[in-house]
């Protein structure tokens, strides 16, 4: 049922549109006796209708300029003037002279067949007029005129509005004044006439709110946020043609990285600034904004011009870059942790060796070389210390095998005893065969007693007390 209703309404609107121009568009400012011809077509102008005498002299003038017998695309044949391919500069009043006396004047208008007009209407704000325009594909002739036929459907009123040609924009523009709250239904038809040729556009219907389309936002700026490498601050203003005192706008912002084709879209109502928080660090971004009435009346505006912006990027001084390079190339360890300072150069000696492609100071390489030498010295010292430790361990393990066996608890001399034996001053208090217990193991005592030595050393504990 709904589809049938829509079809009936469309048919009715088309019928109303055709009723605006029942006899076609009106003829505008063209005299009835004027001869018109299409651009590039031939034209023949006749001086007299009857035959001319042989001794009669005939010549033609265009305005005040004489036309010779043969001048390019103009040719005289008897009493007739043939224009093979008329151009715009061929338009004017042609006068035929017979023996020096004017006989006839013929006005000629060279016209270009008008294009098929296609009309569209828009309204920049509630307080501005409705602008209906038609953009041409090629420049029209000077004789081309246009008018706008308007019909108010509810009141069944029909009237006309003049249209003006805007040469810079190459379009015809017509204006229709409406009230701020006028949401009535209108039908409009654009009529074009060029000389004797007339054409009309198809009927265009609209309501006062439907054709509302603001201009793009103005003064769009994109700036970096200090110390925020992923943020951009975007600001803008309402277009000058919008009355922002009583009516508000909503906005839609889209942005992308310069080398990307995918946009991210954010919508805001009644705001004129926004923070982009997911920008790519160090990358230029493209930002655009468009506007629409806050209650979704009408259409979105066109996108604003592309504005470029780059997030904040930290700038490092040469000294900071050198310190950063050293800290990443020579990490400190517990063994070789040394506070590194740039080497002093009191005598002002500079490094004369060229380093292709290097952006670092010569002190960097001097410090790196010094660290390498220090590491080698430490490595050699550790190796020598470890070797000395191995030698001491080997000596300690091999020394007991070089000494004579001794009883536990007896002092161990560092060197072997000499062969000289001292006689005791006090004779032993006990005999060899005495069974007095001692702390010396029995097998050592027995070994001493059984020895063939002529000296009695059984009383050595007297000289070497334990």
């Amino acid at each position: 049922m709904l589809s049938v209703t829509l079809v009936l309404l469309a048919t009715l609107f088309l019928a109303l549109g055709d009723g605006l121009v029942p006899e076609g568009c009106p003829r505008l400012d063209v005299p009835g006796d004027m001869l018109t011809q299409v651009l590039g077509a031939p034209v023949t102008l006749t001086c007299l209708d009857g035959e001319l005498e042989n001794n009669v002299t005939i010549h033609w003038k265009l305005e005040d300029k004489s036309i010779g017998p043969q001048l390019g695309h103009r040719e005289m044949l008897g009493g007739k003037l043939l224009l093979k391919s008329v151009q715009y500069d061929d338009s004017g009043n042609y006068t035929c002279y017979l023996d020096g006396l004017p006989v006839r004047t013929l006005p000629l208008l060279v016209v270009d067949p008008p294009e098929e007009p296609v009309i569209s209407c828009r309204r920049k704000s509630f307080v501005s007029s409705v602008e209906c325009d038609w953009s041409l594909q090629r420049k029209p002739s000077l004789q081309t005129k246009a008018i706008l036929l308007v019909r108010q459907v509810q009141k069944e009123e029909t009237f006309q509005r003049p249209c003006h040609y805007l040469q810079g924009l190459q379009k015809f523009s017509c204006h229709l004044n409406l009230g701020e709250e006028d949401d009535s239904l209108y039908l409009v038809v654009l009529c074009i006439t060029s000389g004797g040729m007339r054409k009309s556009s198809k009927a265009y219907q609209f309501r006062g709110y439907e054709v509302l389309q603001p201009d793009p936002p103005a003064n769009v700026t994109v700036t970096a946020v200090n110390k925020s490498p992923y943020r951009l601050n975007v600001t803008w203003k309402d277009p000058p043609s919008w009355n922002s005192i009583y009516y508000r706008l909503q906005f839609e912002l889209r942005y992308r990285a310069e080398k990307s084709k995918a946009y991210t879209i954010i919508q805001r109502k009644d705001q004129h600034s926004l923070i982009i928080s997911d920008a790519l660090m160090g990358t230029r971004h493209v930002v655009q904004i468009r506007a629409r009435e806050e209650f979704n009346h009408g259409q979105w505006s066109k996108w604003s011009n592309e504005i470029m912006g780059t997030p904040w990027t930290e700038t490092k001084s040469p000294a900071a870059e050198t310190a950063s390079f050293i800290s990443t190339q020579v990490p400190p360890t517990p063994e070789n942790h040394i506070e590194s300072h740039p080497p002093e150069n009191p005598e002002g000696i500079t490094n004369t060796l060229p380093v292709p492609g290097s952006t670092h100071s010569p002190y960097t390489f001097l410090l790196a070389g010094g660290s390498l030498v220090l590491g080698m010295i430490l490595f050699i010292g550790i190796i020598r210390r470890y070797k000395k430790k191995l030698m001491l361990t080997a000596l300690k393990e091999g020394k007991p095998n070089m000494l004579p066996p001794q009883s536990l608890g007896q002092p161990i001399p560092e060197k072997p005893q000499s062969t000289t034996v001292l006689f005791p001053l006090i004779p032993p208090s006990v005999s060899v065969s005495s069974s007095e217990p001692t702390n010396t193991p029995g097998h050592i005592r027995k070994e001493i007693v059984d020895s063939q030595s002529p000296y009695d050393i059984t009383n050595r504990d007297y000289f070497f007390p334990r």
Side-chain angles (χ1 to χ4, degrees):
M1 184 63 181
L2 180 59
S3 60
V4 175
T5 304
L6 292 177
V7 172
L8 292 176
L9 288 175
T11 306
L12 176 61
F13 291 150
L14 290 177
L16 291 173
D18 294 338
L20 289 176
V21 284
E23 299 178 357
C25 292
R27 187 167 181 165
L28 304 175
D29 302 331
V30 178
D33 60 345
M34 178 172 286
L35 177 63
T36 59
Q37 186 56 280
V38 180
L39 179 69
V43 174
T44 301
L45 304 178
T46 304
C47 182
L48 295 175
D49 295 335
E51 294 183 1
L52 300 176
E53 296 179 4
N54 295 332
N55 57 353
V56 176
T57 303
I58 298 177
H59 70 276
W60 290 84
K61 282 187 177 181
L62 173 59
E63 303 298 342
D64 295 332
K65 297 180 180 179
S66 297
I67 299 176
Q70 290 185 352
L71 296 174
H73 63 284
R74 299 169 182 171
E75 184 177 354
M76 295 179 61
L77 298 173
K80 298 180 179 180
L81 176 63
L82 175 62
L83 305 178
K84 298 178 181 179
S85 177
V86 294
Q87 304 298 320
Y88 289 128
D89 56 1
D90 291 325
S91 298
N93 295 321
Y94 288 82
T95 304
C96 174
Y97 289 85
L98 182 62
D99 291 336
L101 300 175
V103 176
R104 176 181 289 183
T105 299
L106 299 173
L108 174 64
L109 177 62
V110 179
V111 297
D112 190 8
E115 303 174 24
E116 188 74 26
V118 179
I119 191 173
S120 62
C121 300
R122 65 182 289 255
R123 192 179 188 183
K124 296 182 179 180
S125 71
F126 286 109
V127 297
S128 63
S129 61
V130 177
E131 179 183 1
C132 297
D133 54 27
W134 168 46
S135 298
L136 288 78
Q137 299 296 325
R138 62 179 184 273
K139 185 178 180 180
S141 64
L142 297 177
Q143 295 76 25
T144 303
K145 306 296 181 180
I147 62 171
L148 184 69
L149 301 181
V150 184
R151 183 180 180 88
Q152 213 274 9
V153 177
Q154 283 84 352
K155 297 181 180 180
E156 297 183 358
E157 296 178 355
T158 303
F159 51 92
Q160 298 180 6
R161 288 292 180 266
C163 302
H164 304 280
Y165 179 70
L166 305 178
Q167 186 172 1
L169 301 176
Q170 197 169 319
K171 71 176 183 178
F172 279 98
S173 178
C174 322
H175 291 269
L176 175 62
N177 293 324
L178 299 181
E180 293 184 27
E181 299 180 358
D182 189 354
D183 197 29
S184 303
L185 180 62
Y186 289 86
L187 288 175
V188 294
V189 173
L190 183 64
C191 292
I192 302 296
T193 179
S194 180
M197 299 182 179
R198 292 170 289 180
K199 287 187 178 182
S200 61
S201 68
K202 294 181 179 179
Y204 184 90
Q205 65 178 15
F206 66 87
R207 290 185 177 274
Y209 290 176
E210 291 176 352
V211 292
L212 184 64
Q213 184 183 24
D215 286 331
N219 299 336
V220 181
T221 61
V222 181
T223 56
V225 179
N226 189 29
K227 297 184 179 181
S228 297
Y230 304 102
R231 292 187 175 187
L232 287 171
N233 183 26
V234 185
T235 62
W236 64 90
K237 293 183 179 180
D238 289 344
S241 59
W242 184 262
N243 188 347
S244 58
I245 299 177
Y246 302 106
Y247 305 100
R248 304 297 181 185
L249 291 172
Q250 58 176 315
F251 302 96
E252 189 172 77
L253 181 145
R254 69 178 185 180
Y255 63 95
R256 62 177 175 85
E258 186 178 19
K259 297 183 179 180
S260 175
K261 295 182 179 180
Y263 283 95
T264 301
I265 298 178
I266 304 175
Q267 289 189 358
R268 287 291 184 269
K269 282 192 176 183
D270 196 20
Q271 279 186 247
H272 296 83
S273 64
L274 183 142
I275 297 293
I276 297 175
S277 59
D278 59 348
L280 298 179
M281 182 173 59
T283 303
R284 288 215 313 172
H285 289 70
V286 179
V287 180
Q288 289 180 293
I289 307 176
R290 63 179 182 175
R292 188 180 185 181
E293 196 272 334
E294 62 176 338
F295 298 111
N296 296 325
H297 291 309
Q299 308 170 25
W300 284 101
S301 71
K302 295 181 180 179
W303 290 103
S304 63
N305 295 330
E306 293 184 348
I307 305 298
M308 300 293 183
T310 305
W312 175 84
T313 304
E314 183 180 4
T315 56
K316 296 182 178 180
S317 62
E321 292 180 357
T322 303
S324 175
F325 174 79
I326 296 173
S327 63
T328 55
Q329 297 297 325
V330 187
T333 59
E335 291 79 12
N336 61 354
H337 177 71
I338 301 176
E339 291 189 4
S340 300
H341 299 280
E344 297 182 357
N345 190 11
E347 300 180 1
I349 301 175
T350 58
N351 184 16
T352 58
L353 295 178
V355 183
S358 174
T359 60
H360 300 285
S361 173
Y363 295 112
T364 303
F365 301 97
L366 293 177
L367 186 57
S371 301
L372 180 61
V373 172
L374 180 60
M376 294 178 62
I377 293 174
L378 291 175
F379 179 76
I380 294 173
I382 293 173
I383 294 299
R384 296 184 61 181
R385 182 177 180 183
Y386 184 73
K387 184 176 179 182
K388 183 176 180 180
K389 183 177 181 181
L390 289 178
M391 293 178 63
L392 292 175
T393 303
L395 290 175
K396 290 180 180 181
E397 290 180 353
K399 186 174 181 179
N401 297 331
M402 299 174 61
L403 298 175
Q406 300 291 337
S407 61
L408 294 177
Q410 295 293 328
I412 300 176
E414 290 294 331
K415 294 182 180 181
Q417 297 290 337
S418 61
T419 53
T420 306
V421 179
L422 298 177
F423 290 96
L425 299 178
I426 302 174
S429 58
V430 294
S431 63
V432 176
S433 61
S434 173
S435 60
E436 181 181 356
T438 62
N439 293 332
T440 304
H443 66 279
I444 299 297
R445 177 71 63 180
K446 182 179 179 181
E447 186 175 292
I448 296 175
V449 174
D450 295 339
S451 62
Q452 299 299 323
S453 174
Y455 305 102
D456 185 11
I457 59 174
T458 57
N459 60 342
R460 64 180 176 178
D461 291 338
Y462 178 82
F463 299 97
F464 302 97
R466 288 176 295 177

